[in-house]
Amino acid sequence: MAANKSLLNLVRTHFSHEKTINWFPGHMAKGIKQMQDQLRAVDLIVETRDARIPLSSINPQFERIIGGKTRLVVYNKADLAPSEIQYTVCKEMAKRNQHVVFTDTISSGSVKQVLNYAVNIAKGDPVRYSQFSVMVVGMPNVGKSSLINALRRIGIRRGKAASTGAKPGVTRAMSSKIKVLDSPPVYLFDTPGVMMPHIPDPVTAIKVALT
């Protein structure tokens, strides 16, 4: 018993949050400018978030960048998150007028939701959307490039077009157009993961850092 009490005394029971995280490398600032410059040529924004941290992976900067563009919110890595959160998240995002889907890039059925969303818009006005362009945005490590590769694999049965890696920040510049569907023609732009320049809430910072 005495030994157990001694061990318990070594366990840390309090975590102070005195510092906030600031991490905004130059390529992220450049990426934001590239996004803004390309927006006029884009028909749909796919904002990718992490299903494991549905609120912490929201970057308020995208609200300013995206403006009134049509947007689909994709909660990726859904296979790593409890499925029961999906209803709550969808309900909350509906209050913000955000259409949400959950994806797992290994599951073709879940990824097809993204393609179908783009196709339905494109087919609704084929004259206007003779070539449908999608910009994929999100914070680092939410799986943007993996999602693009999955869309390409399913849409045109081709291999990887976007670089992926275990570390965040693999994509450091906006890509050229990546074709993911022939009919109607759908193209994607991959973009660098963009962090919030300043995360004032240390709990949010810890969640982002751990995923």
Side-chain angles (χ1 to χ4, degrees):
M1 288 291 291
N4 288 340
K5 287 183 178 179
S6 178
L7 286 172
L8 286 172
N9 288 333
L10 296 175
V11 176
R12 187 174 179 182
T13 58
H14 176 70
F15 295 83
S16 60
H17 304 304
E18 297 176 355
K19 295 183 179 179
T20 57
I21 290 181
N22 295 279
W23 185 63
F24 198 71
H27 75 271
M28 291 188 184
K30 182 180 179 182
I32 286 177
K33 187 178 185 307
Q34 290 175 329
M35 291 178 205
Q36 292 171 324
D37 291 344
Q38 196 65 43
L39 269 181
R40 289 183 180 178
V42 170
D43 303 305
L44 173 67
I45 301 289
V46 168
E47 183 184 346
T48 314
R49 299 175 185 169
D50 192 326
R52 298 171 295 177
I53 47 172
L55 298 181
S56 298
S57 57
I58 297 174
N59 189 339
Q61 285 196 102
F62 294 134
E63 302 300 322
R64 176 177 55 83
I65 297 169
I66 294 169
K69 281 284 181 183
T70 304
R71 165 171 47 177
L72 174 66
V73 175
V74 175
Y75 276 101
N76 198 25
K77 304 186 181 183
D79 55 317
L80 303 178
S83 59
E84 56 266 24
I85 71 164
Q86 295 188 14
Y87 174 77
T88 303
V89 171
C90 288
K91 187 176 178 181
E92 180 59 35
M93 293 305 128
K95 295 177 184 176
R96 308 182 189 192
N97 295 317
Q98 295 178 6
H99 186 77
V100 169
V101 298
F102 284 80
T103 60
D104 156 17
T105 54
I106 299 173
S107 166
S108 297
S110 69
V111 174
K112 279 182 180 178
Q113 295 176 97
V114 182
L115 276 177
N116 291 340
Y117 193 86
V119 167
N120 287 338
I121 297 173
K123 286 186 174 179
D125 192 343
V127 175
R128 178 182 178 184
Y129 300 118
S130 58
Q131 187 179 103
F132 197 80
S133 296
V134 181
M135 183 185 290
V136 182
V137 303
M139 290 175 67
N141 211 35
V142 295
K144 297 185 311 301
S145 297
S146 295
L147 178 63
I148 287 173
N149 289 332
L151 289 167
R152 183 174 166 86
R153 182 188 74 239
I154 294 164
I156 59 172
R157 302 184 185 279
R158 297 283 179 85
K160 290 174 64 173
S163 299
T164 59
K167 294 181 179 180
V170 173
T171 305
R172 301 179 69 86
M174 181 175 287
S175 71
S176 56
K177 281 187 174 183
I178 299 169
K179 191 173 191 179
V180 294
L181 198 64
D182 286 319
S183 181
V186 177
Y187 292 84
L188 304 184
F189 292 102
D190 193 9
T191 63
V194 175
M195 281 285 289
M196 293 172 274
H198 173 70
I199 305 179
D201 175 20
V203 175
T204 297
I206 290 170
K207 288 179 180 179
V208 170
L210 290 176
T211 52

